């Protein structure tokens, strides 16, 4: 039953992540249309820095709270839930004020690091979100502890809807009012404040209805803050991979393009073109977060090494079976995908290269969750530190030579190295794990190669190719390509017996039980 509960929670959170990331991808269409590459670049240069500070300060809080609260609830000590929650809230007051101060008061310094002072207003605008985000993290952790994933998932989706709506409204309003691009980009950044405000209100209402009755009679425990931080800090550090490497791009690419002879405005535009592929790749790897979250409690609750082996192998297998076709598919649809989202094909080569990182990103995130479940949470943080150094070195080396294409190469190499080292570390700390044989890996790769081959043949036959650079033609091309890709991949899974009839029957049985 516990495993079923974990799976259900993971599916709910994965579904919310899918919708949120889908909205996170589609917001670039109106933003690019209204503000152009320059406005998009100013926004994209700021967001990774905010996201890094956000994850560093609060990402581990929900997991820490859920662990402590679930332990108290399962042992019949529900009265201890209130002091745990109050301790977390008090610590988050400090985090909120400190995070706001760092972003707002240090906005000019951060803008200088980015290489464009026009990002100052956007940094100041996004700083206000830090006043609420820590408390949203506490409330979500509270509900996770009671295995109530639905409200957190709903708040996550509505938060994204509110953010996208506010972004479009403010950008359009500022544009019509004749504001500068600096102000327009700050309007896009301020949308995060609107989104997190809505999420906060939803979670507060839910908390007031659900909070434990009579909990005020229990004693406060100052030790809870230490326990929360002991769990939250390593988890926060290990989840920084995507935003930190994005921040490295923000701080290096524009500056490196300028050293190669480009003017500041042109370098910023080029960075905007490169940034087109980042949210698309992150969206394609959305499932990895759900896997990472689900595998931690699954491994923690496993009683034998055989059970742990099964959980680890299943996690890696799912990462490969989704990551490989996602990478190949995105490489082949980079051009129409670029036209659909951004209205032109600029940077399609860089997007095709970035598509390869989808596989390695999903493996790295999943492996991070496995290491956390094995009680080795510090290792993903160590690999992140090494990854930062590698990303800086590769950016400084490749970007001046190949431009944004070099930055894309840097991303793929860095994610690949982190993923491979993480998987090797899993094997090191869990030696009973049976390594995947070359035959087994080949069998998992063959369906993706079949899919890729069919799509290439269709493209040569002009069945999926689009010579027009309009969004309508791109949508038509993508619809046919994705449809053919899915069908051919499923056929490949059955043909090479990667998924059997028995597997499908088990999936259907689980689904019917949940119904």
């Amino acid at each position: 039953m516990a495993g079923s509960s974990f799976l259900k929670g993971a599916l709910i959170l994965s579904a919310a992540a899918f919708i949120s990331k889908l909205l996170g991808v589609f917001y670039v269409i109106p933003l690019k249309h209204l503000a152009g590459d320059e406005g998009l670049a100013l926004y994209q240069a700021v967001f990774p820095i905010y996201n890094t500070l956000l994850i560093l300060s609060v990402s581990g809080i929900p997991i820490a709270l859920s662990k402590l609260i679930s332990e108290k609830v399962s042992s019949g000590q529900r009265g201890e839930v209130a002091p745990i929650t109050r301790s977390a809230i008090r610590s988050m007051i400090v985090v909120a004020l400190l995070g706001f101060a760092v972003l707002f008061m240090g906005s000019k310094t951060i803008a200088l690091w980015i290489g464009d002072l026009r990002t100052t207003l956007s940094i100041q605008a996004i700083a206000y979100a830090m006043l609420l985000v820590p408390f949203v993290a506490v409330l979500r952790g509270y509900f996770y502890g009671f295995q109530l994933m639905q409200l957190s998932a709903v708040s996550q989706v509505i938060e994204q809807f509110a953010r996208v709506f506010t972004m479009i409204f403010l950008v359009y309003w500022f544009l019509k009012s004749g504001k500068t691009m600096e102000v327009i980009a700050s309007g896009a950044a301020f949308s995060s404040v609107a989104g997190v405000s809505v999420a906060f209100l939803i979670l507060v209402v839910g908390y007031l209805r659900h909070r434990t009755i009579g909990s005020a009679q229990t004693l406060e425990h100052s030790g809870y803050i230490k326990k929360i931080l002991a769990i939250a800090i390593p988890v926060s550090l290990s989840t920084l991979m995507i935003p930190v490497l994005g921040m490295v791009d923000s701080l290096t690419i524009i500056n490196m393009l300028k050293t190669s002879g480009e003017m500041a405005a042109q370098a910023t535009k080029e960075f905007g073109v490169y940034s087109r592929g980042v949210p698309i790749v992150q969206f394609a790897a959305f499932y990895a977060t759900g896997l990472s979250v689900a595998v931690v409690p699954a491994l923690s609750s496993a009683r034998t090494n055989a059970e742990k082996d099964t959980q680890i192998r299943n996690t890696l297998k799912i990462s490969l079976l989704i990551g490989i076709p996602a990478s190949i598919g995105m490489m082949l649809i980079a051009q129409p995908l670029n036209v659909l989202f951004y209205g032109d094909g600029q940077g399609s080569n860089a997007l095709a290269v970035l598509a390869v990182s989808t596989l390695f990103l999903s493996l790295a995130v999943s492996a991070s969750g496995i290491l956390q479940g094995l009680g080795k949470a510090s290792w993903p943080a160590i690999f992140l530190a090494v990854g930062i150094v590698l990303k800086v070195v590769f950016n400084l080396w490749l970007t001046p030579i190949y431009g944004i294409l070099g930055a894309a190469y840097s991303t793929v190499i860095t994610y690949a190295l982190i993923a491979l080292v993480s998987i090797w570390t899993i094997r090191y700390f869990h030696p009973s794990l049976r390594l995947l044989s070359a035959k087994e890996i080949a069998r998992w790769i063959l369906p993706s190669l079949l899919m890729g081959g069919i799509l290439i043949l269709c493209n040569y036959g002009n069945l999926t190719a689009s010579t027009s650079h309009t969004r309508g033609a791109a949508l038509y091309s993508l619809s046919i390509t994705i449809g053919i890709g899915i069908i051919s991949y499923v056929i490949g899974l059955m043909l090479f017996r990667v998924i059997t009839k028995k597997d499908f029957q088990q999936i259907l049985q689980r689904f019917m039980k949940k119904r």
Side-chain angles (χ1 to χ4, degrees):
M1 292 298 292
S4 177
S5 177
F6 288 139
L7 179 60
K8 182 178 180 181
L11 288 174
I12 291 173
L13 294 177
S14 294
F18 175 81
I19 298 172
S20 297
K21 288 186 179 291
L22 185 63
L23 290 171
V25 170
F26 275 98
Y27 82 82
V28 299
I29 297 178
L31 182 58
K32 164 66 169 60
H33 178 72
L34 294 172
D37 284 325
E38 189 177 4
L40 179 64
L42 291 174
Y43 173 77
Q44 293 282 35
V46 168
F47 195 76
I49 296 172
Y50 160 75
N51 209 22
T52 299
L53 185 59
L54 188 69
I55 291 180
L56 183 61
S57 58
V58 303
S59 66
I61 297 298
I63 294 177
L65 273 180
S66 66
K67 184 178 187 301
L68 293 175
I69 290 175
S70 62
E71 287 176 353
K72 297 300 181 183
V73 171
S74 62
S75 62
Q77 303 179 58
R78 291 177 65 97
E80 296 297 311
V81 171
I84 292 173
T85 307
R86 284 195 289 268
S87 296
I89 291 174
R90 288 170 182 169
S91 63
M92 287 300 100
I93 292 174
V94 177
V95 171
L97 295 176
L98 184 61
F100 172 78
V102 168
L103 284 174
F104 193 87
M105 299 176 66
S107 57
K108 190 171 182 179
T109 301
I110 297 172
L112 286 171
W113 290 345
I114 292 174
D116 196 327
L117 280 173
R118 293 177 299 167
T119 59
T120 302
L121 275 181
S122 296
I123 297 169
Q124 291 177 347
I126 214 166
Y128 288 97
M130 280 301 301
L131 294 174
L132 286 177
V133 167
F135 305 105
V136 170
V138 170
L139 292 171
R140 283 177 175 158
Y142 173 87
F143 289 110
Y144 291 164
F146 283 97
Q147 297 293 309
L148 299 174
M149 308 297 188
Q150 291 88 341
L151 186 61
S152 293
V154 169
S155 70
Q156 186 178 342
V157 172
I158 295 179
E159 175 184 350
Q160 278 289 68
F161 270 111
R163 185 173 76 89
V164 173
F165 174 81
T166 304
M167 178 184 293
I168 296 172
F169 173 76
L170 289 178
V171 170
Y172 179 79
W173 182 30
F174 288 160
L175 193 65
K176 289 296 182 182
S177 301
K179 302 295 184 182
T180 64
M181 191 57 66
E182 180 181 3
V183 175
I184 292 172
S186 70
F190 189 78
S191 64
S192 295
V193 182
V196 76
S197 298
V198 172
F200 177 73
L201 290 175
I202 293 172
L203 292 168
V204 165
V205 172
Y207 173 74
L208 293 176
R209 291 180 177 179
H210 183 268
R211 61 179 175 176
T212 307
I213 299 175
S215 59
Q217 298 177 358
T218 61
L219 298 175
E220 296 287 343
H221 295 281
S222 59
Y224 281 138
I225 294 179
K226 293 181 180 179
K227 290 182 179 180
I228 292 169
L229 294 178
I231 300 172
I233 290 175
V235 172
S236 295
L237 290 174
S238 65
T239 55
L240 276 171
M241 180 168 52
I242 295 175
V244 163
L245 296 184
M247 185 178 69
V248 170
D249 283 339
S250 296
L251 298 176
T252 58
I253 292 178
I254 294 176
N255 289 307
M256 286 301 97
L257 290 174
K258 287 194 294 185
T259 60
S260 64
E262 294 188 9
M263 299 297 292
Q266 181 60 31
T268 302
K269 283 187 177 181
E270 284 289 304
F271 177 70
V273 172
Y274 167 81
S275 299
R276 293 178 177 189
V278 176
I280 296 175
V281 169
Q282 291 180 7
F283 166 71
F286 78 93
Y287 63 92
T289 302
L291 282 176
S292 179
V293 172
V295 76
V296 174
L299 287 174
S300 299
S301 62
R303 297 180 179 180
T304 65
N305 282 336
E307 291 179 0
K308 290 182 179 181
D309 290 350
T310 301
Q311 295 291 349
I312 293 172
R313 287 174 61 82
N314 286 341
T315 301
L316 295 178
K317 180 177 181 179
I318 294 172
S319 295
L320 287 172
L321 291 181
I322 300 180
I324 296 173
S327 291
I328 293 176
M330 282 184 58
M331 287 178 64
L332 296 175
I333 64 173
Q335 173 76 16
L337 199 64
N338 205 5
V339 173
L340 176 65
F341 284 129
Y342 302 102
D344 59 62
Q346 290 186 72
S348 293
N349 289 340
L351 175 56
V353 173
L354 281 173
V356 180
S357 68
T358 301
L359 169 62
F360 300 118
L361 172 59
S362 61
L363 283 173
V365 172
S366 299
S368 176
I370 292 171
L371 287 170
Q372 290 175 24
L374 293 174
K376 307 297 179 182
S378 60
W379 284 95
I382 294 172
F383 297 148
L384 171 64
V386 176
I388 292 172
V389 175
L390 291 174
K391 189 72 168 75
V392 170
V393 170
F394 288 132
N395 273 9
L396 296 180
W397 173 30
L398 297 173
T399 304
I401 301 173
Y402 301 106
I404 59 173
L405 198 59
Y409 291 142
S410 172
T411 298
V412 173
I413 295 170
T414 302
Y415 279 140
L417 291 174
I418 292 175
L420 293 174
V421 173
S422 297
I423 293 172
W424 180 87
T425 306
I426 292 170
R427 181 69 175 81
Y428 178 81
F429 285 114
H430 193 67
S432 65
L433 178 66
R434 182 172 62 85
L435 293 175
L436 303 176
S437 65
K439 182 179 180 181
E440 195 171 17
I441 294 176
R443 189 159 55 90
W444 293 355
I445 295 176
L446 285 174
S448 297
L449 295 179
L450 175 65
M451 177 200 73
I454 291 175
L455 291 180
I456 291 173
L457 289 176
C458 290
N459 186 59
Y460 277 122
N462 292 321
L463 180 59
T464 61
S466 173
T467 57
S468 175
H469 291 285
T470 65
R471 283 196 168 100
L475 180 60
Y476 171 78
S477 176
L478 284 172
S479 300
I480 295 178
T481 303
I482 293 173
I484 294 175
I486 292 174
I487 293 173
S488 59
Y489 184 63
V490 172
I491 291 174
L493 290 175
M494 301 290 288
L495 180 64
F496 297 106
R497 298 188 61 80
V498 177
I499 295 180
T500 63
K501 183 179 179 181
K502 182 180 179 181
D503 293 328
F504 279 118
Q505 290 175 344
Q506 289 177 346
I507 293 172
L508 288 174
Q509 287 174 359
R510 287 186 178 182
F511 176 76
M512 295 305 294
K513 285 181 180 179
K514 285 179 173 56
R515 294 288 298 271

